[in-house]
Amino acid sequence: MLRKLFVFLLLSSALFGLNACGNARPEESCNFVQNSSAQRVSWGDHTPVTLYVDRSFPAELFGAIEQAVEQWNSARGRGLIKIGGWINSSSGPARDGANVIYWMSSWEADRPYEQARTTVYWAGDRIYEADIRVNAKNFRYSMGAYGGTVDVVSLLVHEFGHVLGLTHTDLHGSVMAKSLANATERRVPSPTDIDSLKCEY
Ligand SMILES: [Zn+2]
């Protein structure tokens, strides 16, 4: 017998920050991650952020990365993110000074519903590295809204939002909503997302 499943897929971020001491002035969040002094963390003037693509990523889906980058750059009318090209990473995701997208064939057994994870490292209020892992063990991907698969463009738009410092919100059609259903395109940053960006970029 067939069972109909509605799988809501979790996209998550892992955050590693060193917080500044001294007279740090709190800021409103604008939907950004904040440090322990309630300041937004971002790349500040250090844009565009260069993302490299690990050789584990399927070559036929490379266009999805370019499309997702273009969504953020056109949303703000300038280059926030750029692609640095392919990279060979022998050791896998690590804090190594490079921002890398990995296609993971293994995934933690206790987190099978996590589609992807972006790890962001910062010091004070400045992000200095971000790495993306895509869960290719538990999910299938395509470019577009096809049954049983995740639209990889929509997934990457969301994860690139984390790279820029954004956190989750379910408000107003945001691409930063924490769930993305199968066969769903959610690629265009909403007016709320663009307003958030303007706080830092
Ligand atoms: Zn997320």
Side-chain angles (χ1 to χ4, degrees):
M1 159 182 178
L2 286 174
R3 208 156 50 103
K4 189 164 184 178
L5 294 177
F6 289 93
V7 182
F8 285 92
L9 307 164
L10 188 71
L11 308 115
S12 74
S13 58
L15 307 168
F16 296 95
L18 291 169
N19 290 301
C21 303
N23 298 317
R25 195 174 49 188
E27 300 168 327
E28 65 173 298
S29 80
C30 295
N31 195 41
F32 275 77
V33 171
Q34 290 172 291
N35 65 19
S36 67
S37 302
Q39 295 177 304
R40 297 183 294 269
V41 300
S42 78
W43 296 84
D45 296 334
H46 296 150
T47 54
V49 179
T50 301
L51 288 176
Y52 294 89
V53 185
D54 186 72
R55 289 282 177 195
S56 56
F57 199 94
E60 67 272 22
L61 296 179
F62 190 86
I65 300 173
E66 295 174 311
Q67 288 186 37
V69 165
E70 184 53 30
Q71 288 292 348
W72 286 113
N73 290 350
S74 62
R76 204 58 197 93
R78 62 189 177 91
L80 296 176
I81 301 171
K82 69 175 184 181
I83 303 300
W86 295 99
I87 194 171
N88 281 311
S89 167
S90 51
S91 55
R95 187 173 64 177
D96 55 11
N99 312 304
V100 183
I101 307 169
Y102 298 90
W103 192 262
M104 307 296 293
S105 58
S106 62
W107 200 260
E108 291 91 329
D110 60 345
R111 307 175 82 161
Y113 300 109
E114 194 177 47
Q115 288 168 304
R117 186 187 313 149
T118 297
T119 304
V120 177
Y121 302 93
W122 73 83
D125 61 358
R126 283 293 170 264
I127 298 172
Y128 61 87
E129 182 176 339
D131 295 309
I132 296 172
R133 295 164 168 84
V134 178
N135 179 356
K137 177 179 174 62
N138 302 109
F139 296 94
R140 292 196 301 131
Y141 296 90
S142 56
M143 287 176 65
Y146 300 102
T149 71
V150 176
D151 174 39
V152 70
V153 178
S154 301
L155 178 90
L156 290 172
V157 166
H158 178 100
E159 300 306 321
F160 292 171
H162 285 314
V163 167
L164 292 170
L166 294 175
T167 187
H168 288 146
T169 177
D170 290 321
L171 290 176
H172 309 306
S174 172
V175 297
M176 299 311 297
K178 61 187 167 193
S179 301
L180 175 65
N182 277 353
T184 300
E185 290 188 14
R186 189 184 66 202
R187 299 177 170 187
V188 182
S190 71
T192 300
D193 294 325
I194 295 169
D195 282 346
S196 298
L197 280 187
K198 288 177 179 172
C199 294
E200 287 294 311
Y201 301 109

